[in-house]
Amino acid sequence: MVVAEKYQTGFDQPLLTTMYVNKKLGGISAVQTLSRLNRTADRKTQADLAVLDFVNEAEEIQESFRPYFEDATTLPSDPNLLYNAQSRVMSAQILVDAEMIAFAEAFLAAERIAGGSEAKWATLHAELYRHIEPAVRRYEDLLADENLAELAEQFRTGLGDFIRKYGFLSQIVPYQDAELERLYLFGRHLLNRLPRGKDGGVDIGEVDLSHLRVEKTGEHDLGLTPEGTAELPGFGDGTGTGKDQDKSLLSELIERFNDRHGTTFTEEDVARPFQETVDDEKVRLAAVANDEKNFGAVFDDVFEDKMADHIDTIVGLGDQYFAPDKTFKESLNRSARSAAWRLIRKQEGIDDVA
Protein backbone atom coordinates (compact mmCIF):
# COMPACT_ATOMS: atom_id res chain seq x y z
CA MET A 1 0.00 0.00 0.00
CA VAL A 2 1.34 3.42 -0.93
CA VAL A 3 0.53 5.67 2.01
CA ALA A 4 -1.90 8.53 1.36
CA GLU A 5 -3.39 11.04 3.81
CA LYS A 6 -6.61 9.08 4.28
CA TYR A 7 -4.74 6.08 5.71
CA GLN A 8 -3.28 7.95 8.66
CA THR A 9 -6.27 7.53 10.98
CA GLY A 10 -9.30 5.25 11.00
CA PHE A 11 -7.84 2.72 8.51
CA ASP A 12 -8.13 -0.82 9.85
CA GLN A 13 -6.82 -3.68 7.70
CA PRO A 14 -5.50 -6.52 9.90
CA LEU A 15 -3.84 -8.34 6.96
CA LEU A 16 -1.69 -5.34 6.02
CA THR A 17 2.02 -6.20 6.34
CA THR A 18 3.91 -3.80 4.05
CA MET A 19 3.85 -0.04 3.46
CA TYR A 20 5.44 2.02 0.71
CA VAL A 21 5.86 5.55 2.09
CA ASN A 22 6.35 8.46 -0.32
CA LYS A 23 5.45 11.41 1.92
CA LYS A 24 7.12 13.19 4.81
CA LEU A 25 6.03 11.88 8.21
CA GLY A 26 6.85 13.11 11.71
CA GLY A 27 5.57 13.11 15.29
CA ILE A 28 2.08 11.73 15.85
CA SER A 29 1.53 11.60 12.08
CA ALA A 30 4.32 9.02 11.73
CA VAL A 31 2.99 6.98 14.64
CA GLN A 32 -0.61 6.97 13.36
CA THR A 33 0.42 6.02 9.84
CA LEU A 34 2.93 3.26 10.49
CA SER A 35 0.84 1.79 13.30
CA ARG A 36 -1.68 0.67 10.68
CA LEU A 37 0.69 -2.31 10.30
CA ASN A 38 0.22 -3.34 13.94
CA ARG A 39 -3.26 -4.85 13.55
CA THR A 40 -3.20 -8.53 14.52
CA ALA A 41 -4.31 -11.44 12.32
CA ASP A 42 -3.92 -15.22 12.34
CA ARG A 43 -0.43 -16.36 11.27
CA LYS A 44 0.74 -12.72 11.02
CA THR A 45 3.93 -11.98 12.99
CA GLN A 46 6.30 -9.07 13.52
CA ALA A 47 8.73 -10.72 11.09
CA ASP A 48 6.20 -10.17 8.28
CA LEU A 49 6.14 -6.38 8.69
CA ALA A 50 8.19 -4.04 6.50
CA VAL A 51 8.17 -0.37 5.50
CA LEU A 52 9.78 0.77 2.23
CA ASP A 53 10.35 4.51 2.79
CA PHE A 54 11.34 6.86 -0.04
CA VAL A 55 11.37 10.08 1.99
CA ASN A 56 12.02 9.85 5.72
CA GLU A 57 15.16 9.27 7.79
CA ALA A 58 15.13 6.16 9.98
CA GLU A 59 16.36 8.05 13.05
CA GLU A 60 13.57 10.65 12.76
CA ILE A 61 10.91 7.94 12.59
CA GLN A 62 12.42 6.25 15.63
CA GLU A 63 12.30 9.50 17.60
CA SER A 64 8.64 10.00 16.60
CA PHE A 65 7.76 6.68 18.24
CA ARG A 66 9.86 7.11 21.37
CA PRO A 67 7.36 9.09 23.54
CA TYR A 68 4.61 6.55 22.81
CA PHE A 69 6.78 3.45 23.22
CA GLU A 70 7.70 4.33 26.78
CA ASP A 71 5.22 4.42 29.65
CA ALA A 72 3.02 7.45 29.12
CA THR A 73 0.60 9.37 31.30
CA THR A 74 -1.75 12.07 30.16
CA LEU A 75 -4.36 14.34 31.64
CA PRO A 76 -7.95 13.21 31.02
CA SER A 77 -9.69 14.69 27.98
CA ASP A 78 -12.97 16.56 28.40
CA PRO A 79 -15.76 14.65 26.56
CA ASN A 80 -17.55 17.97 25.98
CA LEU A 81 -14.78 18.91 23.53
CA LEU A 82 -16.52 16.76 20.95
CA TYR A 83 -19.84 18.55 21.38
CA ASN A 84 -18.07 21.90 21.09
CA ALA A 85 -16.48 20.75 17.83
CA GLN A 86 -19.84 19.48 16.58
CA SER A 87 -21.46 22.83 17.34
CA ARG A 88 -18.82 24.72 15.35
CA VAL A 89 -19.33 22.47 12.32
CA MET A 90 -23.13 22.66 12.35
CA SER A 91 -23.19 26.45 12.79
CA ALA A 92 -21.91 26.95 9.21
CA GLN A 93 -25.30 25.73 7.84
CA ILE A 94 -23.64 23.57 5.20
CA LEU A 95 -24.82 20.25 6.68
CA VAL A 96 -28.46 19.14 6.68
CA ASP A 97 -29.69 16.47 9.09
CA ALA A 98 -31.96 14.81 6.51
CA GLU A 99 -29.05 14.38 4.08
CA MET A 100 -26.82 12.90 6.77
CA ILE A 101 -29.55 10.46 7.83
CA ALA A 102 -30.08 9.40 4.21
CA PHE A 103 -26.36 8.87 3.77
CA ALA A 104 -26.05 6.80 6.96
CA GLU A 105 -28.99 4.59 5.95
CA ALA A 106 -27.54 4.11 2.46
CA PHE A 107 -24.10 3.34 3.90
CA LEU A 108 -25.43 0.63 6.23
CA ALA A 109 -27.58 -0.82 3.45
CA ALA A 110 -24.56 -0.94 1.14
CA GLU A 111 -22.56 -2.82 3.79
CA ARG A 112 -25.33 -5.41 4.10
CA ILE A 113 -25.65 -5.86 0.32
CA ALA A 114 -21.89 -6.10 -0.20
CA GLY A 115 -21.70 -8.90 2.36
CA GLY A 116 -17.92 -8.67 2.59
CA SER A 117 -17.34 -8.62 -1.19
CA GLU A 118 -14.76 -5.94 -2.00
CA ALA A 119 -15.90 -5.69 -5.62
CA LYS A 120 -19.54 -5.11 -4.66
CA TRP A 121 -18.53 -2.68 -1.92
CA ALA A 122 -16.42 -0.60 -4.31
CA THR A 123 -19.40 -0.14 -6.63
CA LEU A 124 -21.92 0.56 -3.88
CA HIS A 125 -19.54 2.87 -2.00
CA ALA A 126 -19.03 5.05 -5.08
CA GLU A 127 -22.80 5.55 -5.35
CA LEU A 128 -22.99 6.90 -1.79
CA TYR A 129 -21.38 10.20 -2.80
CA ARG A 130 -24.59 11.40 -4.46
CA HIS A 131 -25.92 11.99 -0.93
CA ILE A 132 -22.95 14.27 -0.27
CA GLU A 133 -23.12 16.43 -3.40
CA PRO A 134 -25.68 18.97 -2.02
CA ALA A 135 -23.35 19.75 0.92
CA VAL A 136 -20.38 20.03 -1.47
CA ARG A 137 -22.30 22.55 -3.61
CA ARG A 138 -23.20 24.66 -0.57
CA TYR A 139 -19.56 24.67 0.47
CA GLU A 140 -18.45 25.64 -3.04
CA ASP A 141 -20.95 28.50 -3.09
CA LEU A 142 -19.48 29.88 0.13
CA LEU A 143 -15.93 29.42 -1.13
CA ALA A 144 -16.71 31.30 -4.36
CA ASP A 145 -18.04 34.33 -2.44
CA GLU A 146 -15.15 36.59 -1.37
CA ASN A 147 -17.11 37.70 1.70
CA LEU A 148 -17.85 34.12 2.80
CA ALA A 149 -14.73 32.23 1.69
CA GLU A 150 -13.22 32.46 5.19
CA LEU A 151 -16.38 30.88 6.65
CA ALA A 152 -16.02 28.00 4.19
CA GLU A 153 -12.41 27.42 5.24
CA GLN A 154 -13.40 27.58 8.91
CA PHE A 155 -16.01 24.90 8.23
CA ARG A 156 -13.45 22.68 6.52
CA THR A 157 -11.00 23.11 9.38
CA GLY A 158 -13.73 22.52 11.98
CA LEU A 159 -14.94 19.37 10.25
CA GLY A 160 -11.43 17.96 10.18
CA ASP A 161 -11.07 18.84 13.86
CA PHE A 162 -14.31 17.02 14.74
CA ILE A 163 -13.33 13.90 12.80
CA ARG A 164 -9.92 13.80 14.44
CA LYS A 165 -11.36 14.22 17.94
CA TYR A 166 -14.17 11.72 17.44
CA GLY A 167 -11.74 9.10 16.14
CA PHE A 168 -9.71 9.48 19.32
CA LEU A 169 -12.29 10.20 22.03
CA SER A 170 -14.80 7.57 20.92
CA GLN A 171 -12.20 4.95 21.87
CA ILE A 172 -12.16 6.33 25.42
CA VAL A 173 -15.63 7.76 26.08
CA PRO A 174 -18.63 5.46 25.41
CA TYR A 175 -20.71 7.97 23.43
CA GLN A 176 -24.31 6.87 22.89
CA ASP A 177 -25.18 9.73 20.56
CA ALA A 178 -26.36 8.81 17.06
CA GLU A 179 -25.90 12.39 15.87
CA LEU A 180 -22.18 12.32 16.66
CA GLU A 181 -21.71 8.99 14.88
CA ARG A 182 -23.71 10.24 11.89
CA LEU A 183 -21.66 13.43 11.62
CA TYR A 184 -18.43 11.42 11.85
CA LEU A 185 -19.51 9.00 9.12
CA PHE A 186 -20.86 11.70 6.81
CA GLY A 187 -18.01 14.12 7.57
CA ARG A 188 -15.24 11.63 6.74
CA HIS A 189 -16.66 11.14 3.27
CA LEU A 190 -17.52 14.80 2.76
CA LEU A 191 -14.05 16.03 3.68
CA ASN A 192 -12.55 14.05 0.79
CA ARG A 193 -14.84 15.90 -1.65
CA LEU A 194 -14.41 19.48 -0.48
CA PRO A 195 -12.23 21.61 -2.78
CA ARG A 196 -9.42 23.53 -1.12
CA GLY A 197 -9.26 27.30 -1.05
CA LYS A 198 -6.19 29.19 -2.22
CA ASP A 199 -4.05 28.28 0.78
CA GLY A 200 -0.73 27.79 -0.95
CA GLY A 201 -1.00 24.02 -0.57
CA VAL A 202 -0.97 21.41 -3.29
CA ASP A 203 -3.94 19.04 -3.69
CA ILE A 204 -2.79 15.76 -5.26
CA GLY A 205 -6.10 13.97 -4.75
CA GLU A 206 -6.68 13.54 -8.50
CA VAL A 207 -3.08 12.61 -9.39
CA ASP A 208 -2.35 9.07 -10.56
CA LEU A 209 1.06 7.69 -9.62
CA SER A 210 2.48 6.25 -12.84
CA HIS A 211 5.91 5.05 -11.76
CA LEU A 212 8.62 5.28 -9.11
CA ARG A 213 12.39 5.02 -9.40
CA VAL A 214 13.50 2.63 -6.67
CA GLU A 215 16.93 3.03 -5.08
CA LYS A 216 17.86 1.05 -1.98
CA THR A 217 19.45 3.33 0.62
CA GLY A 218 19.62 0.88 3.52
CA GLU A 219 17.74 -1.36 5.94
CA HIS A 220 16.97 -0.30 9.51
CA ASP A 221 15.76 -2.13 12.61
CA LEU A 222 14.33 0.68 14.74
CA GLY A 223 13.91 -1.08 18.06
CA LEU A 224 13.42 1.06 21.18
CA THR A 225 14.27 0.57 24.85
CA PRO A 226 11.97 2.15 27.47
CA GLU A 227 13.72 4.85 29.49
CA GLY A 228 10.99 5.94 31.89
CA THR A 229 7.57 7.52 32.06
CA ALA A 230 6.67 10.40 29.73
CA GLU A 231 3.71 12.76 30.02
CA LEU A 232 1.67 13.28 26.85
CA PRO A 233 -0.65 16.27 26.33
CA GLY A 234 -4.38 15.59 26.08
CA PHE A 235 -6.82 17.27 23.70
CA GLY A 236 -7.45 20.98 24.14
CA ASP A 237 -10.50 22.89 23.00
CA GLY A 238 -10.46 24.84 19.77
CA THR A 239 -9.99 23.88 16.15
CA GLY A 240 -6.97 22.57 14.38
CA THR A 241 -6.17 21.10 10.99
CA GLY A 242 -4.72 17.91 12.36
CA LYS A 243 -1.57 18.78 10.54
CA ASP A 244 1.63 18.39 12.53
CA GLN A 245 2.89 21.98 12.37
CA ASP A 246 6.63 22.64 12.23
CA LYS A 247 7.19 24.65 15.41
CA SER A 248 10.98 24.31 15.70
CA LEU A 249 11.64 27.66 14.01
CA LEU A 250 9.14 29.40 16.29
CA SER A 251 10.72 27.86 19.40
CA GLU A 252 14.09 29.04 18.19
CA LEU A 253 12.70 32.55 17.62
CA ILE A 254 11.30 32.80 21.17
CA GLU A 255 14.47 31.48 22.77
CA ARG A 256 16.71 33.98 20.97
CA PHE A 257 14.27 36.83 21.60
CA ASN A 258 14.13 36.14 25.35
CA ASP A 259 17.94 36.00 25.52
CA ARG A 260 18.21 39.34 23.75
CA HIS A 261 15.54 41.22 25.73
CA GLY A 262 15.62 39.45 29.09
CA THR A 263 11.95 38.44 28.72
CA THR A 264 10.27 35.13 29.60
CA PHE A 265 7.72 34.72 26.82
CA THR A 266 6.74 31.20 25.77
CA GLU A 267 5.96 29.73 22.37
CA GLU A 268 2.24 29.79 23.26
CA ASP A 269 2.33 33.60 23.71
CA VAL A 270 3.03 34.22 20.03
CA ALA A 271 1.99 30.92 18.39
CA ARG A 272 -1.48 31.97 17.21
CA PRO A 273 -0.66 35.33 15.60
CA PHE A 274 2.52 33.85 14.12
CA GLN A 275 0.78 30.77 12.65
CA GLU A 276 -2.13 32.81 11.29
CA THR A 277 0.35 35.13 9.60
CA VAL A 278 2.23 32.18 8.11
CA ASP A 279 -1.07 30.75 6.80
CA ASP A 280 -2.06 34.04 5.13
CA GLU A 281 -2.04 33.66 1.32
CA LYS A 282 -0.37 37.02 0.66
CA VAL A 283 2.38 36.25 3.15
CA ARG A 284 3.06 32.82 1.65
CA LEU A 285 3.25 34.19 -1.88
CA ALA A 286 5.56 36.98 -0.74
CA ALA A 287 7.90 34.50 0.97
CA VAL A 288 8.16 32.42 -2.18
CA ALA A 289 8.73 35.39 -4.50
CA ASN A 290 11.05 37.58 -2.38
CA ASP A 291 14.23 37.50 -0.36
CA GLU A 292 13.91 37.86 3.42
CA LYS A 293 14.39 41.65 3.45
CA ASN A 294 11.72 42.44 0.84
CA PHE A 295 9.41 39.84 2.37
CA GLY A 296 9.07 42.17 5.37
CA ALA A 297 7.03 44.68 3.34
CA VAL A 298 4.13 42.21 3.39
CA PHE A 299 4.82 40.23 6.55
CA ASP A 300 5.10 43.12 9.03
CA ASP A 301 1.65 44.58 8.29
CA VAL A 302 -0.13 41.21 8.45
CA PHE A 303 1.71 40.17 11.62
CA GLU A 304 0.77 43.45 13.32
CA ASP A 305 -2.90 42.87 12.41
CA LYS A 306 -2.79 39.34 13.83
CA MET A 307 -1.14 40.60 17.03
CA ALA A 308 -3.98 43.11 17.38
CA ASP A 309 -6.57 40.36 16.81
CA HIS A 310 -5.20 38.43 19.82
CA ILE A 311 -4.38 41.36 22.08
CA ASP A 312 -6.78 40.08 24.76
CA THR A 313 -4.96 36.75 25.06
CA ILE A 314 -1.36 38.01 24.81
CA VAL A 315 -1.67 40.90 27.23
CA GLY A 316 1.94 41.00 28.48
CA LEU A 317 3.41 40.62 25.03
CA GLY A 318 0.83 42.91 23.45
CA ASP A 319 1.46 45.78 25.87
CA GLN A 320 5.13 45.88 24.93
CA TYR A 321 4.48 45.27 21.25
CA PHE A 322 2.11 48.24 20.92
CA ALA A 323 4.04 50.52 23.30
CA PRO A 324 4.97 54.05 22.06
CA ASP A 325 8.63 53.00 21.92
CA LYS A 326 8.76 50.89 18.73
CA THR A 327 12.10 49.22 19.50
CA PHE A 328 10.47 46.10 20.96
CA LYS A 329 7.95 45.84 18.10
CA GLU A 330 10.61 46.18 15.41
CA SER A 331 12.77 43.55 17.06
CA LEU A 332 9.92 41.04 17.36
CA ASN A 333 8.84 41.73 13.77
CA ARG A 334 12.37 41.11 12.57
CA SER A 335 12.66 37.81 14.47
CA ALA A 336 9.19 36.59 13.47
CA ARG A 337 9.74 37.65 9.85
CA SER A 338 12.95 35.62 9.64
CA ALA A 339 11.32 32.53 11.16
CA ALA A 340 8.23 32.85 8.93
CA TRP A 341 10.26 33.33 5.74
CA ARG A 342 12.36 30.26 6.47
CA LEU A 343 9.36 28.15 7.55
CA ILE A 344 7.22 28.97 4.49
CA ARG A 345 10.05 28.37 2.04
CA LYS A 346 10.84 25.09 3.78
CA GLN A 347 7.18 24.02 3.53
CA GLU A 348 7.12 25.01 -0.15
CA GLY A 349 10.18 22.89 -0.85
CA ILE A 350 12.55 25.77 -1.69
CA ASP A 351 16.05 24.45 -1.15
CA ASP A 352 17.79 27.66 -0.04
CA VAL A 353 16.49 27.28 3.54
CA ALA A 354 18.90 25.52 5.85
Side-chain angles (χ1 to χ4, degrees):
M1 181 181 73
V2 177
V3 175
E5 190 79 26
K6 61 184 175 182
Y7 295 123
Q8 288 185 280
T9 57
F11 179 78
D12 185 15
Q13 176 46 264
L15 297 179
L16 185 66
T17 60
T18 304
M19 271 191 186
Y20 301 87
V21 180
N22 65 335
K23 63 177 291 181
K24 192 69 177 175
L25 298 173
I28 187 61
S29 177
V31 175
Q32 289 176 331
T33 301
L34 301 179
S35 293
R36 302 305 101 185
L37 293 170
N38 288 341
R39 301 299 187 261
T40 59
D42 290 342
R43 299 186 299 280
K44 177 180 175 182
T45 68
Q46 285 287 326
D48 298 321
L49 306 185
V51 177
L52 182 58
D53 196 322
F54 299 95
V55 180
N56 302 280
E57 297 293 334
E59 294 76 11
E60 294 176 359
I61 294 296
Q62 185 181 47
E63 288 306 309
S64 294
F65 272 82
R66 187 178 301 282
Y68 306 94
F69 178 78
E70 298 171 352
D71 292 337
T73 61
T74 184
L75 296 175
S77 293
D78 180 1
N80 289 323
L81 293 177
L82 199 54
Y83 290 100
N84 295 339
Q86 178 196 31
S87 177
R88 283 190 290 266
V89 171
M90 298 305 296
S91 66
Q93 298 184 341
I94 290 176
L95 303 181
V96 175
D97 285 334
E99 294 170 359
M100 291 193 290
I101 292 172
F103 175 85
E105 292 174 347
F107 184 93
L108 296 175
E111 282 191 324
R112 289 194 298 272
I113 295 171
S117 168
E118 292 187 8
K120 286 183 179 179
W121 174 246
T123 301
L124 293 167
H125 187 263
E127 295 175 357
L128 293 174
Y129 283 102
R130 64 185 176 85
H131 295 284
I132 288 173
E133 288 308 310
V136 173
R137 288 195 295 270
R138 285 190 288 270
Y139 174 85
E140 290 175 336
D141 289 342
L142 286 181
L143 198 61
D145 188 325
E146 291 184 0
N147 297 321
L148 299 174
E150 185 176 351
L151 178 61
E153 288 298 334
Q154 289 174 353
F155 168 79
R156 183 190 181 94
T157 299
L159 183 59
D161 179 62
F162 173 84
I163 291 170
R164 180 173 61 91
K165 286 177 176 174
Y166 186 91
F168 176 78
L169 292 174
S170 62
Q171 301 177 57
I172 303 171
V173 181
Y175 291 106
Q176 302 292 326
D177 192 326
E179 290 185 1
L180 293 179
E181 175 65 22
R182 205 156 48 227
L183 177 57
Y184 175 70
L185 181 64
F186 187 87
R188 281 194 302 128
H189 290 78
L190 174 61
L191 201 58
N192 292 331
R193 292 289 172 131
L194 296 182
R196 293 183 180 275
K198 299 178 180 179
D199 58 0
V202 178
D203 187 353
I204 61 171
E206 300 300 324
V207 174
D208 291 326
L209 183 65
S210 61
H211 61 277
L212 292 169
R213 182 173 70 86
V214 179
E215 179 180 346
K216 184 174 180 179
T217 60
E219 295 183 8
H220 306 273
D221 182 354
L222 304 181
L224 289 168
T225 302
E227 297 178 357
T229 300
E231 182 174 299
L232 302 178
F235 270 119
D237 203 354
T239 60
T241 60
K243 181 179 179 181
D244 193 15
Q245 300 290 348
D246 184 351
K247 294 294 183 60
S248 61
L249 290 173
L250 181 56
S251 299
E252 182 182 324
L253 178 162
I254 295 298
E255 183 177 348
R256 289 203 314 264
F257 191 86
N258 284 336
D259 288 343
R260 185 182 306 123
H261 294 275
T263 51
T264 57
F265 297 122
T266 65
E267 182 175 322
E268 287 71 27
D269 290 325
V270 74
R272 292 191 67 181
F274 178 84
Q275 190 61 53
E276 288 178 10
T277 305
V278 167
D279 291 341
D280 185 274
E281 182 185 4
K282 298 191 299 295
V283 172
R284 298 192 71 85
L285 292 175
V288 171
N290 294 278
D291 58 23
E292 184 177 333
K293 180 179 179 181
N294 292 325
F295 168 61
V298 175
F299 175 88
D300 289 359
D301 288 341
V302 176
F303 185 61
E304 181 176 347
D305 289 341
K306 299 303 181 183
M307 290 289 289
D309 289 344
H310 296 287
I311 190 67
D312 291 335
T313 57
I314 55 171
V315 178
L317 179 62
D319 288 345
Q320 295 188 58
Y321 184 83
F322 290 105
D325 183 355
K326 298 187 181 299
T327 304
F328 183 93
K329 175 181 176 180
E330 291 170 355
S331 179
L332 181 58
N333 281 0
R334 186 163 53 250
S335 298
R337 179 197 314 145
S338 176
W341 185 80
R342 293 162 60 197
L343 175 57
I344 293 170
R345 290 174 74 87
K346 178 180 177 182
Q347 292 173 343
E348 296 296 330
I350 299 175
D351 294 333
D352 61 356
V353 180

